[in-house]
Amino acid sequence: MPDRLPDFLDPVAFAEKNRHVRGEFALSQMDRLADALMVRQGFVTVDLQFGKDGRMSCIRGCVEASLVLQCQCCLEPLPWVVRSDVNLGVVATVDEALLLPDSIDPLLVRAGTEVSLIDIVQDELMLGIPVIPQHQDCNFSTPAIAVPERPHPFAGLAQLKIK
Ligand SMILES: [Zn+2]
């Protein structure tokens, strides 16, 4: 039985205590992800280590899930495994965020406030989902829609003219 993850946490306080957070969230809890999923059953595995990098609070680890997206070509299910490495630096202002090296993503948090762990996990998963999901070699082509051959409404007129 995996540990129950906290829904909300104070990342700075967690970093100071070097907390390690491990467990699972149900995919059905990921409301922003819902539109992208064909199947909402399943779990997201979360493994995050909080700690300090100098004065900055950091969150490192990974977020993993086996998702079922919808291929935008054939509209059939598309199994998609997301394994996102997390490397977040907790910042209080946009200016601080701009100073971070490229390898660290900013997590903007006002001092002393809690953040939603589900939101963090969702953001990481969304980064691992293609904008337009598609089977690698989906050769489904749009079926030719049978258009009944209907004479142009004025075709008859033209014929009359010729006569
Ligand atoms: Zn497809």
Side-chain angles (χ1 to χ4, degrees):
M1 182 83 184
D3 293 341
R4 187 176 146 65
L5 292 167
D7 289 347
F8 291 89
L9 53 82
D10 177 345
V12 177
F14 267 54
E16 266 151 22
K17 290 175 191 154
N18 281 309
R19 290 279 298 269
H20 189 193
V21 169
R22 236 170 97 179
E24 288 180 337
F25 276 129
L27 273 178
S28 55
Q29 289 174 273
M30 311 274 136
D31 54 340
R32 281 191 286 131
L33 205 66
D35 288 346
L37 302 179
M38 263 188 109
V39 177
R40 294 190 68 190
Q41 282 149 355
F43 293 92
V44 188
T45 308
V46 178
D47 189 339
L48 299 173
Q49 175 68 53
F50 291 73
K52 288 285 198 183
D53 186 353
R55 288 178 56 206
M56 188 174 66
S57 303
C58 300
I59 310 171
R60 292 205 182 93
C62 84
V63 166
E64 250 181 297
S66 292
L67 308 175
V68 181
L69 310 178
Q70 186 178 37
C71 171
Q72 294 305 296
C73 184
C74 65
L75 304 182
E76 292 295 320
L78 170 65
W80 193 266
V81 176
V82 180
R83 190 186 187 284
S84 182
D85 288 324
V86 179
N87 197 0
L88 294 169
V90 180
V91 293
T93 63
V94 174
D95 287 342
E96 274 181 60
L98 292 172
L99 293 174
L100 289 177
D102 287 346
S103 56
I104 301 177
D105 296 318
L107 176 67
L108 204 61
V109 181
R110 268 187 301 140
T113 57
E114 295 200 315
V115 291
S116 158
L117 186 57
I118 292 180
D119 276 348
I120 295 175
V121 170
Q122 279 195 102
D123 285 343
E124 292 296 331
L125 287 180
M126 303 230 316
L127 290 175
I129 292 179
V131 182
I132 301 172
Q134 211 171 315
H135 290 113
Q136 206 165 17
D137 24 47
C138 189
N139 43 27
F140 179 88
S141 53
T142 321
I145 299 162
V147 180
E149 285 221 20
R150 246 208 325 205
H152 190 270
F154 299 116
L157 282 178
Q159 293 228 323
L160 283 175
K161 261 189 169 178
I162 294 164
K163 278 176 193 166

